[in-house]
Amino acid sequence: MRGRPAMWTAPAPSAWTRSATGARGAGSATTCWRWPRRCCDRPPREMPMTDPDPAAPDLASRTCTPCAAGTAPHDAATADRMLAGLSGWRMSDEARAITRRFEVKGFAKAVELANLAAWLGNRQGHHPDIAFGWGYCAVTFTTHAAGGLTDNDFICAARLDALLA
Ligand SMILES: C[C@H](O)[C@H](O)[C@H]1CNC2=NC(N)=NC(=O)C2=N1
């Protein structure tokens, strides 16, 4: 992929992942993974980077747009309405960010989920804040250029959920 550092390969297993035989070792980039487990030897589906479909009711069909500094953030009512389209995401008290905490087994899965969220953010040009450790990975989206929430945050949250479905 043009100019993309190795770490942004498709969300295939990292070196932490057990191969099909259960042996620990670098996973294959040609393995199809329905996170968190390997499902077959088909090449992984690239996340569709489709253009926004005006008829698309769901956030996961949309693509983020660059956000100019000073863009007005959504008000709390709008943010609440968009949050209703997601599941498992919580809004910060002042409606400036949304966070989902994923509980996972062990540390390797937490690393993989963090990597997936980072990969998604880099693909969308809208980057998450990520905290992870043994048993968990917390992903937060906010639009720094707006000092609050914009459509981009809800799009990325929906796209991450779609990748993990
Ligand atoms: C030019 C580019 O679109 C901006 O710098 C992007 C990069 N990634 C970003 N990520 C997030 N979370 N907020 C932003 O405002 C933002 N701005």
Side-chain angles (χ1 to χ4, degrees), residues 65-67 125-128 141-146 153:
T65 53
C67 189
H126 190 75
H127 302 86
F141 285 106
T142 184
T143 302
H144 302 296
D153 302 301

Side-chain angles (χ1 to χ4, degrees), residues 3-20:
R4 192 169 67 172
M7 74 180 189
W8 298 121
T9 52
S14 66
W16 293 77
T17 305
R18 292 186 184 289
S19 67

Side-chain angles (χ1 to χ4, degrees), residues 37-120:
R37 63 186 65 80
R38 181 177 179 282
C39 78
C40 64
D41 289 324
R42 282 199 307 271
R45 279 178 299 115
E46 275 291 309
M47 183 179 66
M49 297 294 286
T50 49
D51 292 331
D53 169 358
D58 62 318
L59 289 163
S61 304
R62 294 176 54 189
T63 300
C64 293
T65 53
C67 189
T71 300
H74 289 324
D75 59 29
T78 303
D80 277 332
R81 180 170 51 77
M82 297 192 77
L83 187 67
L86 301 172
S87 64
W89 291 82
R90 291 176 179 277
M91 186 120 69
S92 64
D93 293 345
E94 67 288 355
R96 289 221 181 108
I98 53 173
T99 299
R100 182 168 180 183
R101 181 183 170 97
F102 298 88
E103 304 295 335
V104 295
K105 277 193 182 309
F107 188 68
K109 294 302 175 195
V111 171
E112 283 195 20
L113 210 156
N115 189 40
L116 185 67
W119 175 83
L120 168 68

